[in-house]
Amino acid sequence: DETATATVGVVEPAAFEVELSPAEPVPAGESLSVEATVTNTGGVTDTQTVTITAGETTVAERAVTLAGGESETVGAEYATASADIPSVDIEVATADATATATATVLEPAAVTVTSVTVDEPVVAGEDLVVEYAVENTGEVTATREVTLGVDGETVATDTVTLAGGERETVTTAHPTTEGGVTLEVTVTAAQDSESVQVTVGTGEDSGGTETGSDDESGPGFGPVAAVLGLGVLCLLARSRT
């Protein structure tokens, strides 16, 4: 009898492994990029569904076909919301493996006006000097235009750049022309504003009101009083002689 022998190679079955890339932090309201590398570590070609999840939301499902040893990068965009602050869980799964990570979701930039003050008194013809403070209550840097309005008319615009949590004080001036009026001064940054009212004087009373004489000898002793006093002294001197 003859015996035949042969060597049979054993191939590793397909196995789709997942490596999840770190996600960059984003402010709430912006898209979070989710990216992962899927590798078939087996020896045969296979097709599997790759599922990407953010929080409780299925972001994407994709069929991926890979030969043995082959890799492919898959990704999706997740629209973040305020409910995701401060972080959201990310998951990428195949039939064979699951990779998870936590992505940071930041408070979006929010520039608010925290105070408005006016140097007083204000006199017609002089500058209306306004000092205001703005603060970024979010966690990301923002550049915003801040406007100064007087009685509803924009008279000045400043551009401020604030990092998350940063506060800045700005001083600006606007000339006045009319006295005896009350002005409403408003500082606006994005959707936030603060207003104060200020009265512009005429300047007529700035030097005070004069009473009596300029004579430094005291109140009530003008030239007439001095002459009368001298006459009385003369009569007294004659009576004594």
Side-chain angles (χ1 to χ4, degrees):
D1 294 339
E2 294 183 359
T3 302
T5 60
T7 301
V8 178
V10 178
V11 180
E12 288 286 343
F16 280 31
E17 301 295 329
V18 182
E19 183 179 357
L20 188 57
S21 302
E24 291 292 329
V26 296
E30 294 189 9
S31 292
L32 176 71
S33 296
V34 181
E35 189 174 275
T37 301
V38 180
T39 302
N40 182 358
T41 59
V44 295
T45 299
D46 195 9
T47 300
Q48 292 190 13
T49 299
V50 179
T51 303
I52 301 175
T53 305
E56 301 298 322
T57 303
T58 299
V59 181
E61 288 184 327
R62 296 181 182 176
V64 176
T65 300
L66 297 173
E70 189 177 11
S71 296
E72 184 175 325
T73 298
V74 296
E77 298 290 321
Y78 169 64
T80 62
S82 57
D84 295 317
I85 299 172
S87 63
V88 62
D89 292 330
I90 303 298
E91 179 181 285
V92 178
T94 66
D96 301 316
T98 299
T100 60
T102 300
T104 300
V105 181
L106 305 170
E107 285 279 356
V111 177
T112 61
V113 183
T114 58
S115 67
V116 180
T117 58
V118 178
D119 285 351
E120 296 185 87
V122 181
V123 178
E126 296 181 353
D127 281 346
L128 178 70
V129 180
V130 180
E131 181 181 273
Y132 63 85
V134 288
E135 182 178 7
N136 182 1
T137 58
E139 295 182 289
V140 293
T141 299
T143 298
R144 296 287 187 273
E145 283 191 349
V146 183
T147 60
L148 171 66
V150 177
D151 281 352
E153 179 184 356
T154 299
V155 298
T157 301
D158 297 303
T159 301
V160 297
T161 299
L162 301 172
E166 186 178 7
R167 187 174 188 268
E168 183 176 337
T169 299
V170 179
T171 301
T172 187
H174 173 66
T176 61
T177 57
E178 183 181 358
V181 296
T182 298
L183 304 177
E184 183 174 68
V185 178
T186 303
V187 176
T188 303
Q191 303 301 316
D192 186 55
S193 65
E194 289 286 339
S195 297
V196 296
Q197 290 189 330
V198 58
T199 299
V200 180
T202 61
E204 295 176 355
D205 300 330
S206 60
T209 300
E210 292 185 357
T211 58
S213 168
D214 292 336
D215 193 338
E216 296 181 356
S217 60
F221 290 94
V224 176
V227 171
L228 291 176
L230 181 59
V232 172
L233 290 176
C234 290
L235 290 174
L236 288 173
R238 288 180 181 178
S239 65
R240 288 179 182 176
T241 56

